[in-house]
């Protein structure tokens, strides 16, 4: 069986990391898989570039310009909206023709247009689409933020100026998607039970198979290692307990930095002794902007792409905190847990599916900075830390191993192929 996984980027972003790991998991478990990307960053022979860079850039810029116009030339929400009105036809590529199943992943920002996806569906090849957010099941948004309009056609979109209208851009794109999905055989997979519940409420996916399969991780690579050695390689202090925060862009409001800042301030005020023995390590772009905003000493690591260095960052930490306000199944929590680091996060999205409250970490009440602070303190000072650490690593081995995830996807692929053969 030959699988072609299609994703905009090879490495950049959580969906790219997850798609790449799935490709490796499949290849390591007897399934031939390749990845087709617009932005190829390595010399991995199992990753194929779309090519035509100037054309790809044109598709991206044209879509952004159209969104910009609909936003009345405001940058607010500019990158929260995707309309897929431009992209590349991949059906003529050799890799497409050789594949038994086309596996779509995150294909936004000029990778595939709705017209391109319809052509893929009309090709007769079975299509599996992994949802890393809600976009495939909604009009133009990636996260609903409490909006339920996607269930019955969108319109009056809160992301558009003035709250949109009944027949606004979101409604038009929703209708185009509905028509597109009426062609071909397609199976949807979500990375979390939370996203699966949302997707199944969508009017776009009525009558279409939706199941949840978590992202995989290479637990032979991400695993507990010597903490002091990791800190030495990163030039981090060895005489402090380190609280870790990670985000591709740490100033992203969805990642909940404001709540993290408030939680740290509460801890420093209520337990001033922490200033002498606890610090904050921050991994991600713009990390330096947070110096002076946190009430404990900050150690900005910056943006890191080297996987061994990222593994060191996790192993250097005592607790990992991700106060996301809406998230699917964060790779960062999985990576931290695989390294035996207890995690603290809000009870949102797929996070409570990953962190078992007071067993391998702490799940704080949503948007409650006081409870977030309580959770961090509980991990550092009250819990049986060794038991938490062991339970975190064990959860990853049981639920997110390459073998486990590959087996679940193989079931979907076999079902898709059986349906195709039945129709023939």
């Amino acid at each position: 069986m030959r699988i072609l996984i299609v994703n905009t980027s090879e490495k950049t972003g959580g969906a790219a990391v997850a798609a790449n790991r799935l490709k490796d998991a499949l290849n390591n478990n007897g399934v031939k898989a390749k990845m087709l990307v617009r932005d190829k960053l390595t010399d991995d022979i199992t990753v194929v570039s779309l090519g035509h860079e100037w054309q790809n850039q044109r598709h991206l810029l044209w879509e952004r310009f159209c969104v910009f116009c609909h936003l009345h030339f405001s940058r607010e929400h500019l990158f929260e909206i995707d309309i897929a009105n431009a992209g590349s036809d991949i059906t003529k590529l050799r890799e497409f023709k050789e594949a038994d199943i086309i596996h779509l992943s995150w294909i936004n920002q000029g990778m595939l247009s709705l017209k391109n996806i319809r052509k893929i569906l009309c090709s007769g090849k079975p299509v599996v689409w992994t949802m890393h957010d809600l976009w495939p099941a909604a009009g133009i948004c990636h996260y609903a933020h409490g909006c339920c309009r996607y269930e019955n056609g969108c319109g009056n979109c809160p992301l558009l100026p003035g709250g949109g209208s009944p027949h606004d851009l979101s409604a038009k794109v929703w209708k185009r998607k509905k028509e597109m999905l009426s062609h071909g055989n397609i199976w949807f997979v979500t990375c979390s039970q939370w996203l699966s519940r949302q997707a199944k409420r969508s009017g776009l996916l009525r009558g279409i198979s939706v199941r949840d399969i978590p992202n995989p991780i290479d637990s032979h690579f991400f695993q507990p290692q010597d903490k002091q050695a990791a800190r030495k390689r990163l030039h981090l202090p060895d005489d402090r307990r380190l609280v870790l925060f990670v985000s591709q862009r740490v100033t992203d409001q969805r990642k909940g930095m404001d709540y993290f800042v408030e939680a740290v301030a509460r801890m420093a005020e209520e337990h001033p002794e922490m200033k002498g023995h606890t610090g904050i390590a921050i991994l991600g772009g713009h990390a330096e902007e947070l110096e002076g905003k946190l009430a404990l000493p900050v150690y900005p690591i910056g943006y890191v792409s080297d996987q061994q260095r990222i593994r060191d960052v996790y192993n250097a930490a005592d607790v990992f905190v991700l106060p996301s306000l809406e998230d699917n199944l964060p790779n960062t929590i999985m990576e931290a847990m695989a390294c035996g680091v207890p995690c603290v996060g809000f009870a949102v999205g797929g996070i409570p599916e990953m962190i078992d409250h007071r067993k391998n970490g702490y799940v704080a009440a949503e948007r409650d900075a006081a409870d977030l602070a309580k959770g961090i303190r509980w991990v550092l000072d009250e819990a049986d830390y060794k038991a938490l650490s062991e339970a975190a690593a064990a959860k990853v081995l049981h639920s997110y191993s390459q073998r486990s995830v590959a087996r679940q996807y193989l079931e979907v692929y076999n079902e898709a192929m059986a349906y195709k053969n039945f129709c023939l």
Side-chain angles (χ1 to χ4, degrees):
M1 186 182 295
R2 291 162 296 187
I3 311 299
L4 182 65
I5 301 173
V6 185
N7 198 79
T8 300
S9 174
E10 178 185 2
K11 291 284 188 178
T12 304
V17 171
N20 217 299
R21 288 176 179 171
L22 175 60
K23 181 257 299 176
D24 292 340
L26 293 170
N27 283 320
N28 291 338
N29 285 275
V31 180
K32 293 181 179 180
K34 286 185 176 181
M35 195 168 165
L36 175 66
V37 301
R38 185 192 69 192
D39 305 328
K40 181 172 167 62
L41 302 172
T42 73
D43 57 1
D44 188 339
I45 60 173
T46 63
V47 180
V48 182
S49 172
L50 193 58
H52 307 293
E53 291 184 12
W54 66 270
Q55 192 176 53
N56 299 334
Q57 188 68 13
R58 186 183 67 183
H59 291 156
L60 171 60
L61 292 174
W62 174 245
E63 186 197 33
R64 288 305 99 197
F65 176 75
C66 293
V67 172
F68 196 39
C69 291
H70 281 282
L71 291 174
H72 298 172
F73 305 102
S74 167
R75 292 183 61 85
E76 187 177 10
H77 306 312
L78 181 58
F79 288 95
E80 296 176 54
I81 292 173
D82 274 293
I83 58 177
N85 65 332
S88 299
D89 178 7
I90 67 171
T91 60
K92 295 182 175 63
L93 297 178
R94 175 174 60 85
E95 290 78 14
F96 182 92
K97 294 176 181 178
E98 291 176 348
D100 296 306
I101 290 176
I102 306 303
H103 189 145
L104 302 182
S105 188
W106 200 88
I107 46 74
N108 296 111
Q109 296 192 0
M111 177 68 183
L112 297 179
S113 68
L114 297 183
K115 182 179 179 181
N116 298 147
I117 298 172
R118 175 177 173 172
K119 195 166 184 179
I120 293 169
L121 292 171
C122 290
S123 71
K125 290 182 182 286
V127 176
V128 173
W129 194 342
T130 293
M131 295 174 57
H132 297 279
D133 54 44
L134 193 60
W135 187 84
I140 60 177
C141 67
H142 291 271
Y143 289 91
H145 300 297
C147 175
C148 299
R149 294 180 182 87
Y150 73 94
E151 297 177 12
N152 295 294
C154 282
N156 297 306
C157 181
L159 295 179
L160 296 173
S165 67
H167 305 290
D168 61 19
L169 180 65
S170 69
K172 291 175 182 176
V173 173
W174 195 96
K175 288 179 181 177
R176 290 176 197 148
K177 287 184 178 179
K178 185 68 173 177
E179 196 280 332
M180 174 192 76
L181 291 171
S182 66
H183 302 273
N185 306 321
I186 186 166
W187 281 256
F188 280 95
V189 174
T190 65
C191 302
S192 67
Q193 298 168 26
W194 165 76
L195 187 57
S196 178
R197 290 191 294 270
Q198 283 197 319
K200 287 176 180 178
R201 293 200 298 267
S202 170
L204 289 174
L205 305 192
R206 287 190 187 121
I208 298 177
S209 172
V210 180
R211 67 187 69 185
D212 59 276
I213 302 175
N215 298 325
I217 189 171
D218 184 353
S219 52
H220 296 291
F221 180 82
F222 284 98
Q223 60 176 307
Q225 295 187 323
D226 185 82
K227 192 177 297 295
Q228 297 306 316
R231 291 188 179 188
K232 186 175 181 180
R233 287 190 290 268
L234 294 167
H235 306 291
L236 292 171
D238 59 6
D239 59 347
R240 285 181 178 270
R241 303 177 305 178
L242 291 180
V243 179
L244 176 64
F245 179 93
V246 177
S247 177
Q248 184 178 351
R249 181 168 55 87
V250 299
T251 53
D252 183 353
Q253 291 298 309
R254 186 173 59 84
K255 294 299 183 180
M257 175 52 76
D258 291 345
Y259 291 91
F260 183 60
V261 170
E262 183 181 344
V264 172
R266 283 176 174 270
M267 289 192 297
E269 181 180 355
E270 296 171 6
H271 306 277
E273 71 280 4
M274 291 184 72
K275 295 180 181 180
H277 58 61
T278 305
I280 310 295
I282 301 177
L283 173 64
H286 304 279
E288 67 285 349
E289 295 181 20
L290 296 174
E291 289 188 89
K293 293 184 178 180
L294 288 158
L296 295 176
V298 176
Y299 304 94
I301 300 169
Y303 180 80
V304 176
S305 58
D306 179 73
Q307 290 296 296
Q308 292 185 343
R309 190 170 171 83
I310 290 174
R311 180 180 60 188
D312 276 344
V313 172
Y314 288 115
N315 275 287
D318 294 290
V319 59
F320 174 62
V321 183
L322 185 63
S324 288
L325 307 183
E326 197 164 19
D327 227 326
N328 186 11
L329 197 81
N331 290 319
T332 51
I333 287 181
M334 192 183 300
E335 290 162 357
M337 290 176 65
C339 293
V341 180
C343 298
V344 179
F346 286 141
V348 301
I351 291 175
E353 300 169 32
M354 307 178 80
I355 304 174
D356 300 315
H357 187 50
R358 292 180 178 264
K359 293 180 180 178
N360 54 37
Y362 189 98
V363 180
E366 184 176 352
R367 296 175 184 257
D368 188 335
D371 200 23
L372 190 70
K374 179 181 177 181
I376 299 170
R377 282 274 304 167
W378 179 80
V379 170
L380 291 175
D381 294 317
E382 299 173 25
D384 181 339
Y385 189 86
K386 186 174 184 293
L388 280 184
S389 177
E390 291 175 350
K395 172 71 177 280
V396 172
L397 287 173
H398 178 266
S399 302
Y400 310 127
S401 70
Q402 287 190 342
R403 186 171 186 177
S404 171
V405 174
R407 176 182 54 78
Q408 293 177 71
Y409 267 108
L410 192 56
E411 291 176 2
V412 178
Y413 296 152
N414 285 330
E415 183 180 325
M417 289 298 295
Y419 184 84
K420 177 189 175 183
N421 294 334
F422 174 79
C423 291
L424 293 175

